[in-house]
Amino acid sequence: MIMNEETARQCLDVILGEALARKASDVHLACGQPPLVRVDGDMVRLEQPPCDAPMLDALMDVLLQGGPHREAWGSGADCDAALTWANRLRVRVNAYRTLDGACAALRLIPLDVPEWSSLGVPEKLMTLTQRRQGLILIAGPTGSGKSTTLAALVQHLHQTQAGHILTIEDPIEFVHGPGRGLISQREVGLHTPDFASALRMALRETPDVIVIGDMRDRTTFSQALRAAETGHLVLGTLHAPSAARTVDRILDAFEGAERSSAALSLSGCLSAILVQRLVRRKGGGRVALHELLLATPAVRSMIRDSHVAQLPAAIETGRSVGMQSIAEAAARLVANGTLDMATAQMVNGA
């Protein structure tokens, strides 16, 4: 099917409208396949015609909105972008190619940033965001809601503190409106070449809070640690299944003497690690489970001495200061009727 821009927009309106009606988190477009949506973690095929190559090309033109993203896609590269659709929602776009042709994965993001309290974020973590410096990490697998939790923390800071918040994102997902201070949202590829370049310049922009949308490599880890050590509050996300694996992933990016130096820096500036996992809610929908590691003197010592394997035990013994494991979070939700026992047992066996 050959489409012009107007027809492509109408087609996307239909697809996104049905996705919203089904309360989907994602939409998948693939050449030769009807659109699919992800509902409560499962893929559901929409009763619509398959996407052909010309149709997907027209949809990509609309989704990537021209400019550098469309140029990158035209040159054969994968592409990340985000846009506001019809003043109804934000859409994060990942465009890629496979053996069968062009594909796009669309993450649906509400326009309004949720309140942190509605996400089940431990209150102890929120008290740490009031500090003027330190490193707070939000970890979890892909699709676990890390970006939403990070946005809720940023929104809370923006509404309660008269400081300068600098975000570095790839791409910008939630857009933050007016607050008590200044928020500067920078997108990799549009406003800065990469995370490393943005972080190198960040300290000249006099931020009080630095937000890193995705911590991926040694350079980003190193500069984040430096920023936290020099009197800034740094918030960041990364892919890791537990607090211990989060520490491992950071330290594994360094070798030799650099690893020991990174362990020393991390032990000194870390405030907390929140690990998030989404599971099926009893009665439908999904709910977040949280593991929380706090940087107590004992935890700092374990990180400094590379005794990372002891961190799960530290969480178990740290309940009195506000730490919690995923199993404890699941048990609490079973007790209040939010989670069924079968789901909790699967979580504990993961």
mmCIF file of all heavy atoms in Angstrom, residues 295-325:
data_model
loop_
_atom_site.group_PDB
_atom_site.id
_atom_site.type_symbol
_atom_site.label_atom_id
_atom_site.label_comp_id
_atom_site.label_asym_id
_atom_site.label_seq_id
_atom_site.Cartn_x
_atom_site.Cartn_y
_atom_site.Cartn_z
ATOM 1 N N ALA A 295 23.277 2.584 51.022
ATOM 2 C CA ALA A 295 24.733 2.606 51.207
ATOM 3 C C ALA A 295 25.070 2.855 52.677
ATOM 4 O O ALA A 295 25.511 3.943 53.063
ATOM 5 C CB ALA A 295 25.353 3.668 50.309
ATOM 6 N N THR A 296 24.873 1.838 53.499
ATOM 7 C CA THR A 296 25.273 1.888 54.904
ATOM 8 C C THR A 296 26.796 1.705 54.978
ATOM 9 O O THR A 296 27.441 1.313 53.994
ATOM 10 C CB THR A 296 24.590 0.759 55.685
ATOM 11 O OG1 THR A 296 25.003 -0.497 55.122
ATOM 12 C CG2 THR A 296 23.074 0.879 55.612
ATOM 13 N N PRO A 297 27.403 1.969 56.124
ATOM 14 C CA PRO A 297 28.849 1.733 56.246
ATOM 15 C C PRO A 297 29.249 0.304 55.873
ATOM 16 O O PRO A 297 30.295 0.099 55.234
ATOM 17 C CB PRO A 297 29.130 2.029 57.727
ATOM 18 C CG PRO A 297 28.099 3.057 58.082
ATOM 19 C CD PRO A 297 26.865 2.656 57.323
ATOM 20 N N ALA A 298 28.434 -0.683 56.244
ATOM 21 C CA ALA A 298 28.766 -2.071 55.910
ATOM 22 C C ALA A 298 28.709 -2.295 54.396
ATOM 23 O O ALA A 298 29.587 -2.964 53.823
ATOM 24 C CB ALA A 298 27.797 -3.015 56.617
ATOM 25 N N VAL A 299 27.708 -1.743 53.747
ATOM 26 C CA VAL A 299 27.576 -1.885 52.296
ATOM 27 C C VAL A 299 28.733 -1.181 51.587
ATOM 28 O O VAL A 299 29.315 -1.710 50.624
ATOM 29 C CB VAL A 299 26.214 -1.332 51.818
ATOM 30 C CG1 VAL A 299 26.198 -1.146 50.299
ATOM 31 C CG2 VAL A 299 25.092 -2.270 52.250
ATOM 32 N N ARG A 300 29.098 0.001 52.054
ATOM 33 C CA ARG A 300 30.228 0.715 51.445
ATOM 34 C C ARG A 300 31.512 -0.108 51.552
ATOM 35 O O ARG A 300 32.304 -0.174 50.612
ATOM 36 C CB ARG A 300 30.418 2.077 52.131
ATOM 37 C CG ARG A 300 29.277 3.058 51.903
ATOM 38 C CD ARG A 300 29.610 4.422 52.536
ATOM 39 N NE ARG A 300 28.453 5.303 52.522
ATOM 40 C CZ ARG A 300 28.044 6.005 51.474
ATOM 41 N NH1 ARG A 300 28.716 5.921 50.337
ATOM 42 N NH2 ARG A 300 26.990 6.793 51.557
ATOM 43 N N SER A 301 31.691 -0.745 52.681
ATOM 44 C CA SER A 301 32.882 -1.581 52.882
ATOM 45 C C SER A 301 32.884 -2.768 51.922
ATOM 46 O O SER A 301 33.921 -3.114 51.349
ATOM 47 C CB SER A 301 32.934 -2.063 54.330
ATOM 48 O OG SER A 301 34.035 -2.918 54.541
ATOM 49 N N MET A 302 31.725 -3.401 51.741
ATOM 50 C CA MET A 302 31.633 -4.534 50.800
ATOM 51 C C MET A 302 31.971 -4.107 49.379
ATOM 52 O O MET A 302 32.671 -4.825 48.656
ATOM 53 C CB MET A 302 30.222 -5.126 50.843
ATOM 54 C CG MET A 302 29.865 -5.819 52.138
ATOM 55 S SD MET A 302 28.108 -6.277 52.198
ATOM 56 C CE MET A 302 27.933 -6.720 53.925
ATOM 57 N N ILE A 303 31.490 -2.956 48.971
ATOM 58 C CA ILE A 303 31.772 -2.472 47.614
ATOM 59 C C ILE A 303 33.250 -2.109 47.480
ATOM 60 O O ILE A 303 33.903 -2.469 46.496
ATOM 61 C CB ILE A 303 30.874 -1.266 47.279
ATOM 62 C CG1 ILE A 303 29.410 -1.695 47.230
ATOM 63 C CG2 ILE A 303 31.286 -0.648 45.946
ATOM 64 C CD1 ILE A 303 28.430 -0.549 47.084
ATOM 65 N N ARG A 304 33.780 -1.405 48.472
ATOM 66 C CA ARG A 304 35.178 -0.977 48.423
ATOM 67 C C ARG A 304 36.124 -2.172 48.343
ATOM 68 O O ARG A 304 37.118 -2.152 47.609
ATOM 69 C CB ARG A 304 35.501 -0.143 49.664
ATOM 70 C CG ARG A 304 36.906 0.444 49.661
ATOM 71 C CD ARG A 304 37.182 1.254 50.921
ATOM 72 N NE ARG A 304 37.086 0.437 52.131
ATOM 73 C CZ ARG A 304 36.132 0.566 53.045
ATOM 74 N NH1 ARG A 304 35.185 1.479 52.890
ATOM 75 N NH2 ARG A 304 36.133 -0.200 54.122
ATOM 76 N N ASP A 305 35.790 -3.242 49.059
ATOM 77 C CA ASP A 305 36.656 -4.422 49.096
ATOM 78 C C ASP A 305 36.267 -5.472 48.060
ATOM 79 O O ASP A 305 36.781 -6.604 48.096
ATOM 80 C CB ASP A 305 36.620 -5.048 50.494
ATOM 81 C CG ASP A 305 37.135 -4.091 51.568
ATOM 82 O OD1 ASP A 305 37.924 -3.199 51.226
ATOM 83 O OD2 ASP A 305 36.721 -4.231 52.737
ATOM 84 N N SER A 306 35.323 -5.108 47.157
ATOM 85 C CA SER A 306 34.868 -5.996 46.081
ATOM 86 C C SER A 306 34.237 -7.286 46.608
ATOM 87 O O SER A 306 34.337 -8.344 45.987
ATOM 88 C CB SER A 306 36.021 -6.323 45.120
ATOM 89 O OG SER A 306 36.418 -5.156 44.433
ATOM 90 N N HIS A 307 33.572 -7.203 47.761
ATOM 91 C CA HIS A 307 32.831 -8.340 48.309
ATOM 92 C C HIS A 307 31.359 -8.213 47.903
ATOM 93 O O HIS A 307 30.452 -8.203 48.754
ATOM 94 C CB HIS A 307 32.987 -8.406 49.830
ATOM 95 C CG HIS A 307 34.390 -8.665 50.278
ATOM 96 N ND1 HIS A 307 34.847 -8.338 51.544
ATOM 97 C CD2 HIS A 307 35.440 -9.219 49.624
ATOM 98 C CE1 HIS A 307 36.122 -8.687 51.648
ATOM 99 N NE2 HIS A 307 36.505 -9.225 50.494
ATOM 100 N N VAL A 308 31.143 -8.109 46.597
ATOM 101 C CA VAL A 308 29.809 -7.827 46.067
ATOM 102 C C VAL A 308 28.843 -8.967 46.358
ATOM 103 O O VAL A 308 27.641 -8.750 46.541
ATOM 104 C CB VAL A 308 29.888 -7.539 44.549
ATOM 105 C CG1 VAL A 308 28.509 -7.233 43.973
ATOM 106 C CG2 VAL A 308 30.830 -6.367 44.286
ATOM 107 N N ALA A 309 29.341 -10.182 46.422
ATOM 108 C CA ALA A 309 28.484 -11.344 46.668
ATOM 109 C C ALA A 309 27.792 -11.268 48.033
ATOM 110 O O ALA A 309 26.798 -11.967 48.269
ATOM 111 C CB ALA A 309 29.298 -12.634 46.567
ATOM 112 N N GLN A 310 28.296 -10.418 48.937
ATOM 113 C CA GLN A 310 27.695 -10.295 50.268
ATOM 114 C C GLN A 310 26.523 -9.310 50.302
ATOM 115 O O GLN A 310 25.817 -9.206 51.312
ATOM 116 C CB GLN A 310 28.757 -9.846 51.279
ATOM 117 C CG GLN A 310 29.897 -10.846 51.464
ATOM 118 C CD GLN A 310 30.967 -10.329 52.409
ATOM 119 O OE1 GLN A 310 30.794 -9.295 53.056
ATOM 120 N NE2 GLN A 310 32.078 -11.039 52.484
ATOM 121 N N LEU A 311 26.295 -8.580 49.195
ATOM 122 C CA LEU A 311 25.262 -7.542 49.209
ATOM 123 C C LEU A 311 23.845 -8.091 49.418
ATOM 124 O O LEU A 311 23.053 -7.466 50.140
ATOM 125 C CB LEU A 311 25.328 -6.716 47.923
ATOM 126 C CG LEU A 311 26.573 -5.828 47.782
ATOM 127 C CD1 LEU A 311 26.560 -5.096 46.447
ATOM 128 C CD2 LEU A 311 26.661 -4.830 48.934
ATOM 129 N N PRO A 312 23.462 -9.247 48.818
ATOM 130 C CA PRO A 312 22.114 -9.767 49.113
ATOM 131 C C PRO A 312 21.890 -10.024 50.599
ATOM 132 O O PRO A 312 20.796 -9.741 51.124
ATOM 133 C CB PRO A 312 22.060 -11.069 48.299
ATOM 134 C CG PRO A 312 23.003 -10.840 47.158
ATOM 135 C CD PRO A 312 24.128 -10.029 47.763
ATOM 136 N N ALA A 313 22.908 -10.522 51.286
ATOM 137 C CA ALA A 313 22.781 -10.747 52.730
ATOM 138 C C ALA A 313 22.660 -9.426 53.470
ATOM 139 O O ALA A 313 21.923 -9.316 54.471
ATOM 140 C CB ALA A 313 23.989 -11.538 53.244
ATOM 141 N N ALA A 314 23.352 -8.390 52.968
ATOM 142 C CA ALA A 314 23.259 -7.066 53.597
ATOM 143 C C ALA A 314 21.850 -6.503 53.481
ATOM 144 O O ALA A 314 21.357 -5.838 54.406
ATOM 145 C CB ALA A 314 24.269 -6.120 52.957
ATOM 146 N N ILE A 315 21.202 -6.782 52.365
ATOM 147 C CA ILE A 315 19.818 -6.333 52.200
ATOM 148 C C ILE A 315 18.914 -7.041 53.201
ATOM 149 O O ILE A 315 18.045 -6.425 53.830
ATOM 150 C CB ILE A 315 19.340 -6.578 50.746
ATOM 151 C CG1 ILE A 315 20.114 -5.681 49.782
ATOM 152 C CG2 ILE A 315 17.838 -6.339 50.609
ATOM 153 C CD1 ILE A 315 19.840 -5.969 48.315
ATOM 154 N N GLU A 316 19.105 -8.343 53.364
ATOM 155 C CA GLU A 316 18.277 -9.119 54.288
ATOM 156 C C GLU A 316 18.426 -8.624 55.723
ATOM 157 O O GLU A 316 17.450 -8.577 56.482
ATOM 158 C CB GLU A 316 18.658 -10.603 54.211
ATOM 159 C CG GLU A 316 18.324 -11.270 52.883
ATOM 160 C CD GLU A 316 16.827 -11.363 52.622
ATOM 161 O OE1 GLU A 316 16.050 -11.354 53.604
ATOM 162 O OE2 GLU A 316 16.436 -11.406 51.441
ATOM 163 N N THR A 317 19.640 -8.238 56.089
ATOM 164 C CA THR A 317 19.875 -7.796 57.473
ATOM 165 C C THR A 317 19.648 -6.295 57.642
ATOM 166 O O THR A 317 19.759 -5.785 58.763
ATOM 167 C CB THR A 317 21.316 -8.143 57.915
ATOM 168 O OG1 THR A 317 22.254 -7.523 57.025
ATOM 169 C CG2 THR A 317 21.531 -9.642 57.911
ATOM 170 N N GLY A 318 19.330 -5.613 56.538
ATOM 171 C CA GLY A 318 19.178 -4.166 56.602
ATOM 172 C C GLY A 318 17.738 -3.690 56.624
ATOM 173 O O GLY A 318 17.465 -2.520 56.336
ATOM 174 N N ARG A 319 16.804 -4.576 56.975
ATOM 175 C CA ARG A 319 15.389 -4.185 56.987
ATOM 176 C C ARG A 319 15.116 -3.036 57.952
ATOM 177 O O ARG A 319 14.279 -2.176 57.687
ATOM 178 C CB ARG A 319 14.527 -5.388 57.386
ATOM 179 C CG ARG A 319 14.583 -6.552 56.413
ATOM 180 C CD ARG A 319 13.813 -7.725 56.962
ATOM 181 N NE ARG A 319 13.999 -8.924 56.165
ATOM 182 C CZ ARG A 319 13.585 -10.133 56.533
ATOM 183 N NH1 ARG A 319 12.958 -10.282 57.692
ATOM 184 N NH2 ARG A 319 13.792 -11.183 55.758
ATOM 185 N N SER A 320 15.831 -3.014 59.048
ATOM 186 C CA SER A 320 15.562 -2.003 60.076
ATOM 187 C C SER A 320 15.887 -0.591 59.602
ATOM 188 O O SER A 320 15.364 0.386 60.155
ATOM 189 C CB SER A 320 16.363 -2.314 61.349
ATOM 190 O OG SER A 320 17.757 -2.284 61.079
ATOM 191 N N VAL A 321 16.743 -0.467 58.579
ATOM 192 C CA VAL A 321 17.092 0.866 58.069
ATOM 193 C C VAL A 321 16.368 1.172 56.758
ATOM 194 O O VAL A 321 16.611 2.207 56.146
ATOM 195 C CB VAL A 321 18.614 1.016 57.891
ATOM 196 C CG1 VAL A 321 19.312 0.940 59.230
ATOM 197 C CG2 VAL A 321 19.177 -0.002 56.903
ATOM 198 N N GLY A 322 15.481 0.251 56.331
ATOM 199 C CA GLY A 322 14.677 0.525 55.145
ATOM 200 C C GLY A 322 15.004 -0.281 53.909
ATOM 201 O O GLY A 322 14.380 -0.092 52.858
ATOM 202 N N MET A 323 15.978 -1.176 53.989
ATOM 203 C CA MET A 323 16.276 -2.012 52.817
ATOM 204 C C MET A 323 15.192 -3.065 52.641
ATOM 205 O O MET A 323 14.519 -3.453 53.600
ATOM 206 C CB MET A 323 17.644 -2.681 52.963
ATOM 207 C CG MET A 323 18.815 -1.723 53.010
ATOM 208 S SD MET A 323 20.378 -2.584 52.692
ATOM 209 C CE MET A 323 21.461 -1.774 53.880
ATOM 210 N N GLN A 324 15.057 -3.539 51.409
ATOM 211 C CA GLN A 324 14.108 -4.628 51.170
ATOM 212 C C GLN A 324 14.529 -5.422 49.945
ATOM 213 O O GLN A 324 15.155 -4.894 49.021
ATOM 214 C CB GLN A 324 12.684 -4.106 50.980
ATOM 215 C CG GLN A 324 12.443 -3.326 49.697
ATOM 216 C CD GLN A 324 10.988 -2.896 49.539
ATOM 217 O OE1 GLN A 324 10.336 -2.523 50.502
ATOM 218 N NE2 GLN A 324 10.490 -2.960 48.313
ATOM 219 N N SER A 325 14.184 -6.708 49.950
ATOM 220 C CA SER A 325 14.452 -7.583 48.816
ATOM 221 C C SER A 325 13.194 -7.685 47.957
ATOM 222 O O SER A 325 12.092 -7.313 48.371
ATOM 223 C CB SER A 325 14.850 -8.977 49.308
ATOM 224 O OG SER A 325 13.748 -9.590 49.971
#
